[in-house]
Amino acid sequence: MKKLLFLALLPVLASAVEVPSVNLSLTAPQEPGDLVTSLNVLIIFTLLALAPSIILVMTSFTRLIVVFSFLRQAMGTQQSPPTQLLVTLALVLTYFIMEPVGQKAYEQGIVPYQNKEIGYEEAFLRTTEPFKKFMVRNTREKDLALFFRIRDMENPQTIEDIPLSIAIPAFMISEIKTAFEIGFLLFMPFLVIDMVVSSVLMSMGMMMLPPVMISMPFKILIFILVDGWNLLIGNLVESFH
């Protein structure tokens, strides 16, 4: 996770190296150099604010957290597990899934840049390349084609021809669609349990008794018997290419 955070802050570190002194004066810039310095400061603070979001949208976090949310709704357990716990679990699994990608990006981009073997632009391209390949492998061609069509660009021949500005949004909507498909499959067995419990209660004349109160313990029991967390997380991790 430290390496992923270091990756997100790479532009910040580069700017910090290039701008040793920063003038935070609120007066109007007198020279073009002062304006450039002010813009660099603005870019630094913007990147600091957006770094966590950038990391999350380029990783497996989106699919994981959406699926966990669907699971909790399907089981009808309200706020259990708590949202904070689900987010933490999604972050831990994201680190597990993305560690090889982050390691490769760190070794081929950040390390040479720290050793002053390559410049900032080349370091940025080398560092983001493993993440772009990961996103493209897990993105549907239809979603990529959508953004290429919107930009009125020709279809790419290789992964290198796909810019990050297209890979990131295409990856996000592809991940959301995949998460919804998994969520639908999660809902089906629990929906069957709700229908069976509701039919039994109606046949017994207990129409005033909420079916959710009766079905929820059965859902939890079945989920435990089939070792649901093991199956769900195992299949989620293996679903990434």
Side-chain angles (χ1 to χ4, degrees):
M1 186 63 69
K2 291 182 179 179
K3 294 175 182 178
L4 294 178
L5 291 174
F6 190 84
L7 167 65
L9 295 177
L10 177 60
V12 178
L13 296 175
S15 300
V17 173
E18 296 173 0
V19 185
S21 60
V22 177
N23 182 17
L24 296 179
S25 175
L26 297 179
T27 59
Q30 302 298 324
E31 298 181 0
D34 296 334
L35 178 60
V36 173
T37 301
S38 301
L39 292 176
N40 286 338
V41 174
L42 178 62
I43 293 173
I44 289 173
F45 282 106
T46 302
L47 289 174
L48 284 173
L50 297 178
S53 300
I54 293 174
I55 292 176
L56 296 182
V57 300
M58 296 175 63
T59 63
S60 58
F61 180 83
T62 301
R63 184 187 305 185
L64 295 173
I65 193 62
V66 173
V67 170
F68 291 157
S69 178
F70 272 120
L71 173 64
R72 188 170 64 180
Q73 293 181 27
M75 295 185 66
T77 53
Q78 303 300 325
Q79 295 300 319
S80 183
T83 302
Q84 186 176 3
L85 178 60
L86 293 180
V87 172
T88 304
L89 177 60
L91 286 173
V92 171
L93 291 175
T94 298
Y95 172 76
F96 176 80
I97 295 170
M98 301 301 300
E99 183 182 15
V101 179
Q103 180 70 29
K104 186 176 181 180
Y106 181 79
E107 292 176 351
Q108 73 180 28
I110 296 176
V111 172
Y113 179 75
Q114 288 180 324
N115 296 333
K116 299 181 179 180
E117 298 175 358
I118 57 177
Y120 163 70
E121 294 184 359
E122 186 177 355
F124 179 78
L125 293 175
R126 288 189 181 185
T127 305
T128 56
E129 181 183 0
F131 287 89
K132 185 167 68 173
K133 289 182 178 179
F134 172 83
M135 289 188 291
V136 172
R137 286 197 304 266
N138 292 277
T139 302
R140 299 182 307 162
E141 293 184 4
K142 182 179 180 181
D143 295 327
L144 284 172
L146 170 66
F147 290 96
F148 272 98
R149 186 172 66 252
I150 293 174
R151 283 281 185 88
D152 195 19
M153 298 173 60
E154 296 182 358
N155 293 332
Q157 302 298 323
T158 61
I159 294 180
E160 288 73 17
D161 298 334
I162 303 175
L164 279 176
S165 59
I166 289 180
I168 293 177
F171 173 73
M172 289 184 64
I173 64 173
S174 183
E175 286 292 279
I176 293 175
K177 182 181 186 299
T178 303
F180 270 65
E181 292 175 347
I182 298 174
F184 172 78
L185 296 177
L186 284 174
F187 257 98
M188 293 307 296
F190 295 118
L191 181 61
V192 171
I193 295 175
D194 284 333
M195 295 176 62
V196 171
V197 171
S198 179
S199 299
V200 172
L201 291 177
M202 290 183 64
S203 64
M204 296 176 63
M206 299 180 180
M207 299 181 183
M208 300 301 294
L209 183 63
V212 176
M213 295 181 59
I214 307 300
S215 62
M216 186 174 66
F218 288 101
K219 293 178 182 179
I220 297 175
L221 177 62
I222 293 177
F223 193 71
I224 294 173
L225 291 177
V226 300
D227 200 3
W229 284 110
N230 185 284
L231 290 174
L232 177 62
I233 292 178
N235 284 279
L236 274 176
V237 172
E238 292 177 356
S239 65
F240 291 96
H241 306 293

